């Protein structure tokens, strides 16, 4: 008989073991090996069966065994010691607390909103890079003591689990998760009743959600869950799965995470007396509706008008974009937004103003990234290159500005070291100090480093064998046919990893461009390579599934299957072994479509060498001594030709540089050139790719300025917001009539030399604005004689020198000539207000001529 439903009942622990409950409930165990070892020692076999999940383990160990363990004085002491260690971690001041003593302007809380969070495989609430990054952000924030509150959704089935059919086609499964069996606790009022968040739906319906709390070290993650009986069936299904539905399903999810998410944060802060977030961080456009809910709050609760509320929300919001391709941006048909935001969702918030926030080129669409940019005073991409790409891509929102003036910055992503470094690496090298090299490395011989890499490769080979066998059993093979899987892969052979989601731009099959060459590399008698491949294709993407099938079919060939394997169901539990054990991490995206990429960073933490197209993070951190750059043919328009060129370069690099470095050994069998690359990688990349470095940057350069800006506009009952809104209104009314009249060139010296002063004068028709409302700038730069486009321009503010003549107010500046050669200049007018973060912020500019 099959059960209709399942749920998990937690074990009752004997009193001496009670702290185990505490240790299991806080996901900090997932990056704390001593706690993992403690759980494993309760029942090693059960630990393996539950795949290293403490909550499940405590349910799996028999009461008899628990009673025995409670008598074991040594174990009880360990339990107590680990619990004390956790309490210390949670309570002692950390980096942020020390910073805050020096700078009380740092926010008392920050809300961090994301559609997915990948914290650990025991909470499979993510699909790939975006979610794992969000998880790493929370963990690093916890380590640093940053008071983040995470907000997301709890999906009944998470993302899908992948298996393969016999002919290599991706199959998807959606096993339902039981929240009671997860490391979650319901958010409740002080009187114990569960908090229910409500969100108005069209036609007078109400969406209810309960709120689960996951505890990630010092950080609480709130996960909204609509699968409760108060909801009508279609509303119950809103949190059924991640990225699994149509546009309607999707917008409901985004409304729940954004609007419901803010309400959940309010309920959480009220329930435990936590300070309210002063800063809200929108991790990708999906969560952007949070800004609209905060506008509603300010209109309803503080009596602000819409514009004043926008000014307030913008000041305290940081928006991070992760998408370098327009096709990847989240957009909704305007009618769908009109339907949901029409009546009951956000009372008091005018619909036409909401729609205008998401306006884009296509008048029928609502663009979540555009709204993200319009509701955040500060925005960033996730690597230097991606910052540039984003300034270009969103440049149309700042028409008239040069691309590099578009106010979108960048923070290069990082990865959580304690999660992704093998414990062997940390034991040998200690924790990396952000910023400087690794002192402990100097004390290690080449032989010791090489032995470390060998151990990690060995673990990976064992895991590959286990998984290849399991995958074949799932595809329908029988155990007696699978003897060969015990000897696939070789712990001595150069091991290359390639694992990622399978969108087209990542080019899963580039390595198959010339199958004969790949085969020759795999089967080289002297210098073979072995290749482990993994990745999920979006369930709706048959193109991606066909790519997986190509790889699987290639790897199924008995001639090569001992050297190449596709491992199904890429997730954090598999990824870890790959990052630890691969000698080389391969990445060949179509530049510049990889916003950052983080898997190569995780490999580098463990001394893996990157072999990658210079895209995302590798574009800025490749230094010629930490791996290899696959030359990109990104000027070549024909995609097939481009693939040929880049695949060819990849094969060449493997044959002429990578394999020789790995297989050229000294007398002791150590490849000294290789070990030098590993050493340099550990020395210089390990500190730079840390998520703590990333979160520190967010705190210093984004959260702190946002908190200051928010405090400033809110001061004296939102006086700043009112002033700023009033200013924007005046600006909007006058701007179309602002005009630069005569620009006077008489100040150019007779025989100009570099550095000679040039006087620039201009008259500006201010159309009712005051001279103080604007910045008038002289811009001087090189011109090439054909386009008149100013190159390397230098700007100088022009002083108001009074007097209105027939062309307007007069402005003047003296500019030292910045360059030799052909020089051009112009004059421009920009908004000026002390509450703006930059003069480009409002995307308004008038240029002479
Ligand atoms: C790190 C990670 C990713 C993201 O890797 P990218 O290089 O950014 O594509 C995806 N999935 C898992 C399981 C990861 O650990």
């Amino acid at each position: 008989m099959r059960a209709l439903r399942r749920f998990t009942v937690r074990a009752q622990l004997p009193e001496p073991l009670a702290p185990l409950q505490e240790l299991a409930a806080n996901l900090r165990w997932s990056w704390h090996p001593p706690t993992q070892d403690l759980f494993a020692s309760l029942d090693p076999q059960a630990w393996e069966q539950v795949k290293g999940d403490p909550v499940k383990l405590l349910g799996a160990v028999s009461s008899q065994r628990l009673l025995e363990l409670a008598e074991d004085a040594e174990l009880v002491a360990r339990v107590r010691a680990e619990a004390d260690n956790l309490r210390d971690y949670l309570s002692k001041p950390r980096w942020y607390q020390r910073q805050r003593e020096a700078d009380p302007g740092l926010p008392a809380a920050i809300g961090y909103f994301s559609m997915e969070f990948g914290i650990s495989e025991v909470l499979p609430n993510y699909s790939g890079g975006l979610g794992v990054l969000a998880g790493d952000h929370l963990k690093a924030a916890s380590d640093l003591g940053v008071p983040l509150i995470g907000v997301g959704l709890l999906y009944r089935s998470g993302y899908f689990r992948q298996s393969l059919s016999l002919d290599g086609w991706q199959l998807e499964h959606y096993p339902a998760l039981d929240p009671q069996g997860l490391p979650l606790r319901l958010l409740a009022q002080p009187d114990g009743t569960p908090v229910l968040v409500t969100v108005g739906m069209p036609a007078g319906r109400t969406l209810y959600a309960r709120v689960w709390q996951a505890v990630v070290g010092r950080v609480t993650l709130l996960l909204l869950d609509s699968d409760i009986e108060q909801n009508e069936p279609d509303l119950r299904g809103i949190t059924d799965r991640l990225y699994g539905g149509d546009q309607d399903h999707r917008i409901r999810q985004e409304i729940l995470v954004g609007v419901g998410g803010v309400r959940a944060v309010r309920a959480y802060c009220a329930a435990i007396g936590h300070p309210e977030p002063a800063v809200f961080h929108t991790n990708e456009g999906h969560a952007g509706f949070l800004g609209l809910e905060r506008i509603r709050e300010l209109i309803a609760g503080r009596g602000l008008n819409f514009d004043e509320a926008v000014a307030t929300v913008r000041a305290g919001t940081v928006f991070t974009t992760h998408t370098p391709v327009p096709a990847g941006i989240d957009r909704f048909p305007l009618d769908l937004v009109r339907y949901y935001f029409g009546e009951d969702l956000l009372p008091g918030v005018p619909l036409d103003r909401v729609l205008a926030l998401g306006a884009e080129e296509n008048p029928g669409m609502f663009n979540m990234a555009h709204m993200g940019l319009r509701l955040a005073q500060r925005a960033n991409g996730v690597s230097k290159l991606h910052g540039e790409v984003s300034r270009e891509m969103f440049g149309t929102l700042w028409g008239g500005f040069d691309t590099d003036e578009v106010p979108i910055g960048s923070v290069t992503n990082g990865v959580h070291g304690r999660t992704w470094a093998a414990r062997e690496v940390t034991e040998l090298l200690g924790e990396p100090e952000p910023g400087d090299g690794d002192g402990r490395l100097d004390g290690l011989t080449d032989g010791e480093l090489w032995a470390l890499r060998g151990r990690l490769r060995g673990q990976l080979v064992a895991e590959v064998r286990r998984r290849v066998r399991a995958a074949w059993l799932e595809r329908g093979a029988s155990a007696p046919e699978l003897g060969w899987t015990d000897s696939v892969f070789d712990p001595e052979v150069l091991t290359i990893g390639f694992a990622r989601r399978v969108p087209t731009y990542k080019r899963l099959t580039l390595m198959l461009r010339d199958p004969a060459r790949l085969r020759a590399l795999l089967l080289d008698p002297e210098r073979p390579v072995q290749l482990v491949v993994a990745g999920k294709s979006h369930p709706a993407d048959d193109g991606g599934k066909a790519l997986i099938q190509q790889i699987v079919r290639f790897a199924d060939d008995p001639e090569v299957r001992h050297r190449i394997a596709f491992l199904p169901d890429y997730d954090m539990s598999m990824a870890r072994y790959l990052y630890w054990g691969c000698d080389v991490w391969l990445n060949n995206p179509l530049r510049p479509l990889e916003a950052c990429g983080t898997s190569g960073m995780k490999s580098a933490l463990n001394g893996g060498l990157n072999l990658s197209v210079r895209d995302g993070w590798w574009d800025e951190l490749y230094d010629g001594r930490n791996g290899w750059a696959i030359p990109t043919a990104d000027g070549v328009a024909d995609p097939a030709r481009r693939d040929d060129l880049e695949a060819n370069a990849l094969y060449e690099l493997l044959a002429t540089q990578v394999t020789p470095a790995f297989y050229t050994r000294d007398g002791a069998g150590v490849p000294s050139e290789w070990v030098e690359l590993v050493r340099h990688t550990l020395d210089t990349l390990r500190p730079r790719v840390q998520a703590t470095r990333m979160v520190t940057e967010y705190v210093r350069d984004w959260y702190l300025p946002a908190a200051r800006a928010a405090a400033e506009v809110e001061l004296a009952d939102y006086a700043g917001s009112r002033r700023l809104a009033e200013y924007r209104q005046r600006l909007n009314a006058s701007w179309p009539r602002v005009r630069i009249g005569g620009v006077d060139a008489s100040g150019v010296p007779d025989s100009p030399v570099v550095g000679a002063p040039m006087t620039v004068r201009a008259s500006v028709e201010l159309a009712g604005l005051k001279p103080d409302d604007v910045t008038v700038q002289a811009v001087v730069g090189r011109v090439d004689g054909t386009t008149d486009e100013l190159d390397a321009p230098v700007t100088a503010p022009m002083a108001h020198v009074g007097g209105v003549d027939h062309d307007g107010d007069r402005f003047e500046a003296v500019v030292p000539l910045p360059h030799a050669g052909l020089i051009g200049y112009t004059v421009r007018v920009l908004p000026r207000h002390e509450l703006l973060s930059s003069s480009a912020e409002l995307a308004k500019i008038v240029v002479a001529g």
Side-chain angles (χ1 to χ4, degrees):
M1 211 181 316
R2 286 171 67 97
L4 176 64
R5 295 223 172 76
R6 309 188 279 178
F7 61 97
T8 309
V9 180
R10 295 193 184 187
Q12 190 69 42
L13 292 173
E15 194 276 330
L17 300 183
L20 287 172
Q21 209 69 265
E22 219 175 306
L23 289 164
N26 192 318
L27 285 155
R28 189 259 195 162
W29 66 260
S30 69
W31 69 92
H32 195 250
T35 309
Q36 293 164 18
D37 292 347
L38 172 64
F39 281 114
S41 69
L42 301 182
D43 185 339
Q45 225 179 348
W47 180 246
E48 203 144 293
Q49 267 157 20
V50 302
K51 300 194 174 116
D53 180 337
V55 171
K56 292 208 172 69
L57 179 83
L58 294 182
V61 180
S62 68
S63 328
Q64 182 56 36
R65 170 94 183 132
L66 288 172
L67 286 174
E68 281 164 33
L69 291 168
E71 301 292 315
D72 178 342
E74 197 194 331
L75 180 89
V76 170
R78 258 175 85 197
V79 169
R80 208 171 292 139
E82 289 309 335
D84 286 345
N85 177 291
L86 176 62
R87 286 175 206 144
D88 269 2
Y89 174 86
L90 297 179
S91 59
K92 293 227 168 106
R94 303 185 77 84
W95 173 81
Y96 193 84
Q97 284 65 41
R98 293 191 292 276
Q99 296 294 306
R100 203 152 179 258
E101 261 170 38
D103 192 340
L106 281 166
I110 299 130
Y112 180 89
F113 285 57
S114 178
M115 269 319 249
E116 44 175 309
F117 285 92
I119 293 155
S120 153
E121 58 267 32
V122 307
L123 192 56
N125 217 40
Y126 65 94
S127 77
L130 183 74
V132 175
L133 176 81
D136 281 3
H137 195 104
L138 298 194
K139 292 175 195 172
S142 168
D143 289 344
L144 293 166
V146 181
L148 224 59
I149 303 170
V151 181
L153 301 180
L154 180 71
Y155 304 97
R156 170 98 333 198
S157 312
Y159 201 49
F160 70 92
R161 320 260 4 175
Q162 178 195 51
S163 67
L164 295 174
S165 73
L166 192 56
D167 65 349
W169 194 252
Q170 168 177 300
L171 305 174
E172 296 107 27
H173 314 268
Y174 294 89
L177 301 169
D178 161 26
Q180 269 93 16
L182 300 175
L184 298 172
R185 202 159 34 96
L186 266 185
L187 176 64
Q189 319 273 12
D191 69 4
T193 52
V195 165
L196 271 192
V197 166
T198 60
V199 175
M201 289 279 115
R205 299 206 296 163
T206 301
L207 164 64
Y208 298 89
R210 56 184 170 178
V211 183
W212 296 97
Q213 307 172 78
V215 189
V216 186
R218 300 166 70 113
V219 168
T220 293
L221 168 60
L222 305 174
L223 296 169
L224 289 92
D225 173 7
S226 70
D227 188 16
I228 48 176
E229 59 191 19
Q230 285 85 346
N231 278 325
E232 294 171 37
D234 66 313
L235 301 180
R236 265 187 101 142
I238 288 179
T239 52
D240 56 357
R241 52 178 74 161
L242 178 57
Y243 305 141
D246 57 10
Q247 293 265 41
D248 185 57
H249 188 253
R250 175 103 184 145
I251 198 171
R252 290 171 169 206
Q253 289 190 331
E254 295 189 9
I255 288 169
L256 183 58
V257 76
V259 177
V262 173
R263 295 177 187 173
V265 169
R266 302 301 183 209
Y268 169 76
C269 293
I272 69 160
H274 196 283
E276 297 282 350
V279 173
F280 287 78
H281 187 168
T282 314
N283 189 41
E284 192 50 293
H286 315 145
F289 291 134
L290 76 91
L292 299 181
E293 165 61 4
R294 289 168 57 221
I295 290 173
R296 185 202 63 79
E297 290 180 334
L298 290 161
I299 293 175
R302 307 285 167 161
L304 302 189
N305 68 28
F306 183 86
D307 292 315
E308 293 159 355
V310 168
T312 313
V313 166
R314 281 176 56 84
T317 304
V318 176
F319 171 59
T320 300
T321 170
H322 295 260
T323 321
V325 256
I329 296 224
D330 211 12
R331 298 151 83 225
F332 294 109
L334 207 61
D335 283 342
L336 198 60
V337 181
R338 195 174 278 134
Y339 175 68
Y340 280 101
F341 286 84
E343 17 183 333
D344 303 318
L345 180 53
L346 298 175
V349 182
L351 177 64
D352 58 326
R353 303 302 303 271
V354 169
L355 298 180
L357 287 170
E360 59 148 49
E361 298 78 37
N362 180 340
M365 295 301 278
F366 186 93
N367 187 309
M368 293 298 285
H370 288 193
M371 180 175 71
L373 291 167
R374 291 190 180 109
L375 284 181
Q377 199 173 33
R378 287 167 183 79
N380 70 287
V382 290
S383 67
K384 289 204 172 93
L385 179 61
H386 181 235
E388 283 171 34
V389 171
S390 302
R391 289 189 283 278
E392 181 89 42
M393 184 163 122
F394 295 114
T396 51
L397 291 179
W398 281 270
F401 286 88
D402 286 350
T403 301
D404 58 7
E405 289 183 299
V406 170
I408 299 176
S410 70
V411 178
T412 303
N413 284 340
V415 297
H416 187 245
R418 290 187 180 90
T419 296
W420 296 111
R423 63 165 76 185
E424 289 85 348
V425 174
T426 316
E427 275 161 19
L428 216 54
L429 301 180
E431 300 289 344
E433 290 299 317
D436 21 278
D438 249 303
R440 302 248 300 255
L441 262 174
D442 298 340
L444 289 179
T445 65
D446 282 5
E448 285 167 321
L449 264 184
W450 182 236
L452 167 71
R453 292 296 318 154
R455 270 201 302 285
L456 297 173
R457 190 184 319 106
Q459 286 178 26
L460 170 61
V461 167
E463 183 69 8
V464 168
R465 290 176 179 168
R466 192 181 73 69
R467 286 184 181 258
V468 167
R469 184 181 168 81
W472 271 106
L473 288 171
E474 228 178 347
R475 288 172 76 182
S478 62
E481 303 168 72
L482 293 179
W484 61 273
T485 59
D486 296 339
S487 58
V488 295
F489 278 51
D490 181 334
E492 303 299 324
V493 165
L494 168 59
T495 305
I496 302 178
F498 186 97
R500 53 208 9 102
R501 288 175 305 107
V502 190
T504 325
Y505 81 84
K506 299 229 191 204
R507 291 192 296 187
L508 177 70
T509 52
L510 191 73
M511 63 180 87
L512 287 184
R513 198 78 193 154
D514 184 345
R517 263 179 106 175
L518 176 61
R519 181 183 279 262
L521 284 163
L522 297 172
L523 300 178
D524 188 296
E526 304 292 320
R527 296 167 168 178
V529 303
Q530 57 196 6
L531 193 55
V532 48
V533 186
K536 292 176 175 178
S537 169
H538 188 280
D541 178 11
D542 280 350
K545 293 183 204 177
L547 298 182
I548 290 175
Q549 190 175 39
Q550 272 183 49
I551 295 272
V552 173
R553 287 196 168 149
F554 182 90
D556 280 354
D557 179 350
E559 299 278 308
V560 296
R561 67 189 182 188
H562 61 300
R563 291 271 189 263
I564 178 168
F566 180 89
L567 303 182
D569 206 26
Y570 182 47
D571 75 345
M572 291 176 78
S573 70
M574 177 205 298
R576 185 174 299 131
Y577 285 94
L578 301 182
Y579 304 143
W580 294 345
C582 286
D583 299 293
V584 170
W585 196 255
L586 173 63
N587 193 18
N588 48 233
L590 276 170
R591 187 179 191 272
L593 302 186
E594 179 93 291
C596 178
T598 49
S599 52
M601 294 176 162
K602 299 177 214 165
S603 173
L605 282 179
N606 294 287
L609 305 179
N610 279 266
L611 168 59
S612 171
V613 168
R614 289 190 72 156
D615 199 3
W617 75 282
W618 193 234
D619 186 58
E620 74 195 63
L621 289 180
Y622 168 67
D623 71 357
R625 294 166 61 209
N626 51 11
W628 299 270
I630 305 170
T632 167
D634 62 1
V636 176
D638 173 10
R641 169 110 184 95
R642 177 171 176 182
D643 283 358
D644 280 340
L645 288 169
E646 295 186 9
N648 192 47
L650 168 61
Y651 298 132
E652 280 297 311
L653 274 171
L654 284 170
T656 62
Q657 301 204 28
V658 181
T659 51
F662 186 88
Y663 285 108
T664 305
R665 306 291 167 92
D666 66 13
V670 176
S672 49
E673 187 190 338
W674 190 273
V675 172
E676 189 45 45
L677 293 164
V678 170
R679 188 185 289 277
H680 183 67
T681 294
L682 290 170
D683 191 30
T684 59
L685 280 185
R686 207 164 75 106
R688 286 191 195 140
V689 300
Q690 298 287 332
T692 42
R693 188 266 311 143
M694 164 181 75
V695 172
T696 309
E697 279 181 39
Y698 273 113
V699 166
R700 242 187 352 233
D701 303 335
W702 304 81
Y703 299 159
L704 175 60
R708 285 205 179 117
E712 231 174 295
V713 294
E714 288 171 19
L715 206 65
D717 191 24
Y718 299 89
S721 303
R722 293 178 213 272
R723 263 192 299 127
L724 190 52
E726 182 270 334
Y727 172 72
R728 283 188 75 171
Q729 266 158 13
R730 276 196 302 120
L731 209 59
N732 287 340
S734 300
W735 202 256
R737 288 176 289 117
V738 170
R739 215 174 45 80
I740 299 169
V743 174
D744 179 6
S746 63
V748 177
D750 294 340
S751 46
V753 289
V754 173
M758 169 174 84
T759 306
V760 181
R761 297 192 186 86
S763 307
V764 180
E765 168 54 55
L766 290 174
L769 295 172
K770 296 192 289 292
D772 279 353
D773 287 336
V774 296
T775 297
V776 180
Q777 291 175 340
V779 189
V780 188
R782 278 197 201 96
V783 284
D784 66 7
T786 52
T787 65
D788 278 344
E789 202 52 46
L790 290 172
D791 180 37
V794 173
T795 62
M798 298 174 71
H800 184 239
V801 290
V804 180
D805 64 17
H806 63 280
D807 267 340
D809 281 57
R810 285 188 291 116
F811 290 82
E812 183 178 308
V814 178
V815 192
L817 290 170
H819 310 291
L822 197 54
I823 288 289
Y825 66 94
T826 188
V827 170
R828 64 186 193 174
V829 186
L830 300 161
R832 175 163 69 176
H833 193 280
E834 84 272 12
L835 294 172
L836 294 180
S837 66
S838 80
S839 49
E841 185 183 322
L842 299 180
K844 286 196 174 347
I845 186 168
V846 173
V847 183

